Amino acid sequence: MPPRPPLVSYAVVGLGHIAQVAVLPAFRHARDNSRLAALVSGDATKRRALSRKHRVRHAFSYDDYDECLQMVDAVYLALPNHLHAEYAIRAAQAGVHVLCEKPLAVTAEECERMIAACEEAGVHLMVAYRLHFEALNLEAIDLVRRGRIGEPRFFNASFAMTVRQGDIRARRDYGGGTLYDIGVYCINAARALFRAEPTEVLAMSVHSGAKRLTDVDETTAAVLRFDDGRIASFVTSFKAAGVGTYQIVGAKGHLRLDPAFKYAEPLAWTLTVGDRVTRKRVGKHDQFAAQLAYFSDCIQRGRSPEPSGADGLQDVRIIEALYESAETGKAVALRPYVDRKRPTLQQRITKPPVGKARLVKVKSPS
């Protein structure tokens, strides 16, 4: 029997809401191949409290990030969007693998620099698209791929939340905005379900006058044109009741996921073909442990991960084009892009759910 590879040691960089409620607890369910070895935060109280809670011996300030990189194999970047590129590139230059929260970065140029740095250093780069390992989402992709709804014709989605005053998602200088935070899920889902790339986009952003959202788009409606007459559309909002759902309609039937994008509640789909309706619901699972386990396995086996940095780059290109369209009022053409990999059922990993976390100096975004 071959020897078991050593555990992949991680530093979690940034101890905000998503890190505390999802990333840090996920190591308990990914312990077969992943180990939480260090924390990085600019807040000393968070470092002390969370290192005790998660039994982590090493906690670093951002000023000591380079020292932290000398003692880990990988980083999980849970930082504000505008810091992704800097901290990913520094990790790559230290020979450390990078698992980065979505979006990969704020601009395509930043994404390209991240990808180049990781390729030059020979380390893996993966975007934390947790739904690429979630069973119900992968089953939906597979149902469409196998033709259960016939040739897919159009996709539509709604994703909204009421963002609280002062949250980083509402700050342009932090890389905030509805498309970066939640629209990226809709874009990524449409690309995966159509197994294709959009050629042109059109968008409109509106604002009702909410003072807490004057720095970013409050609500954006987007349309993505694909070849063969296919269309994807979605609406994202930071000032609406919480919703996260999508539907894809084909020549013979349609598939609806509701909820579709959540990580802290059950997910469900409804498949309708003619008069036959099939429903499936799955309970809450630890989606973050699944992606940790997958990324660690890629590191141990020397296998390129899916979703790759290129996948994240394409989503950011589309986001930039949508904001350009919303500003100019014109459709924006996208340059051709060929994705090498798509999410498949073989990536399905199911882990038990985590409990509710006690937060340290952080609030929910909504």
Side-chain angles (χ1 to χ4, degrees):
M1 188 174 185
R4 186 174 180 177
L7 298 179
V8 176
S9 61
Y10 284 81
V12 173
V13 186
L15 301 180
H17 184 263
I18 198 65
Q20 292 192 33
V21 302
V23 181
L24 296 177
F27 281 92
R28 179 181 176 186
H29 296 143
R31 58 190 173 191
D32 285 348
N33 63 3
S34 310
R35 178 174 69 90
L36 178 59
L39 305 177
V40 181
S41 172
D43 189 298
T45 301
K46 288 182 182 179
R47 294 197 301 267
R48 286 193 298 269
L50 294 170
S51 59
R52 285 197 302 268
K53 178 179 180 179
H54 295 280
R55 300 179 181 179
V56 179
R57 290 180 57 190
H58 304 285
F60 300 86
S61 69
Y62 292 121
D63 290 339
D64 297 323
Y65 181 56
D66 292 330
E67 180 184 347
C68 171
L69 293 173
Q70 300 306 309
M71 58 167 295
V72 296
D73 303 310
V75 291
Y76 190 113
L77 300 183
L79 294 160
N81 299 339
H82 72 298
L83 297 176
H84 288 184
E86 175 191 346
Y87 281 79
I89 291 169
R90 288 169 65 183
Q93 291 170 342
V96 173
H97 304 280
V98 179
L99 177 53
C100 182
E101 262 299 330
K102 57 77 199 164
L104 183 58
V106 179
T107 68
E109 186 272 337
E110 288 179 331
C111 295
E112 289 166 350
R113 288 196 288 114
M114 293 166 70
I115 293 168
C118 290
E119 289 179 348
E120 182 177 348
V123 299
H124 292 311
L125 171 62
M126 188 176 102
V127 192
Y129 287 142
R130 51 188 168 76
L131 293 173
H132 285 222
F133 312 99
E134 197 283 316
L136 197 89
N137 180 70
L138 293 174
E139 286 178 8
I141 293 170
D142 194 59
L143 286 170
V144 175
R145 182 189 64 82
R146 292 191 288 115
R148 291 293 301 276
I149 63 170
E151 185 67 24
R153 303 314 310 163
F154 67 88
F155 165 100
N156 58 65
S158 301
F159 203 172
M161 60 194 292
T162 301
V163 169
R164 107 185 131 71
Q165 182 80 31
D167 189 80
I168 61 172
R169 289 157 181 79
R171 291 187 56 172
R172 183 183 298 272
D173 58 338
Y174 277 38
T178 71
L179 296 182
Y180 285 115
D181 189 58
I182 52 182
V184 67
Y185 287 99
C186 306
I187 294 166
N188 197 261
R191 293 174 53 230
L193 288 159
F194 281 146
R195 303 183 70 81
E197 301 300 326
T199 59
E200 185 181 38
V201 303
L202 183 66
M204 176 184 294
S205 293
V206 296
H207 204 285
S208 67
K211 292 183 179 180
R212 69 179 184 275
L213 297 172
T214 55
D215 205 29
V216 297
D217 58 310
E218 179 183 298
T219 300
T220 293
V223 178
L224 282 59
R225 181 199 298 271
F226 291 76
D227 287 336
D228 300 325
R230 294 172 293 178
I231 289 286
S233 63
F234 64 86
V235 177
T236 53
S237 181
F238 278 167
K239 193 188 175 188
V243 63
T245 181
Y246 74 69
Q247 182 180 41
I248 184 164
V249 179
K252 297 192 303 183
H254 54 89
L255 178 67
R256 179 177 178 84
L257 270 71
D258 185 11
F261 307 115
K262 303 294 186 180
Y263 68 87
E265 60 185 83
L267 303 179
W269 57 248
T270 302
L271 173 66
T272 303
V273 181
D275 295 330
R276 183 176 181 180
V277 179
T278 307
R279 295 181 175 88
K280 183 169 184 178
R281 181 179 185 273
V282 298
K284 176 185 172 183
H285 292 105
D286 188 346
Q287 298 175 10
F288 289 80
Q291 66 182 358
L292 279 170
Y294 173 86
F295 189 57
S296 293
D297 187 66
C298 287
I299 293 170
Q300 291 172 336
R301 297 173 182 267
R303 183 176 61 192
S304 298
E306 190 296 316
S308 64
D311 194 30
L313 165 61
Q314 176 66 349
D315 285 333
V316 172
R317 282 176 176 157
I318 295 168
I319 289 171
E320 286 189 305
L322 286 167
Y323 278 131
E324 179 184 343
S325 174
E327 184 175 345
T328 64
K330 299 178 180 179
V332 176
L334 294 167
R335 66 185 185 186
Y337 170 78
V338 179
D339 198 356
R340 300 178 185 88
K341 291 184 177 182
R342 304 281 183 189
T344 69
L345 270 176
Q346 284 66 47
Q347 292 174 200
R348 175 176 48 193
I349 301 174
T350 301
K351 300 287 186 179
V354 299
K356 189 173 182 179
R358 295 181 61 182
L359 303 180
V360 180
K361 295 185 69 175
V362 72
K363 295 179 180 179
S364 170
S366 61

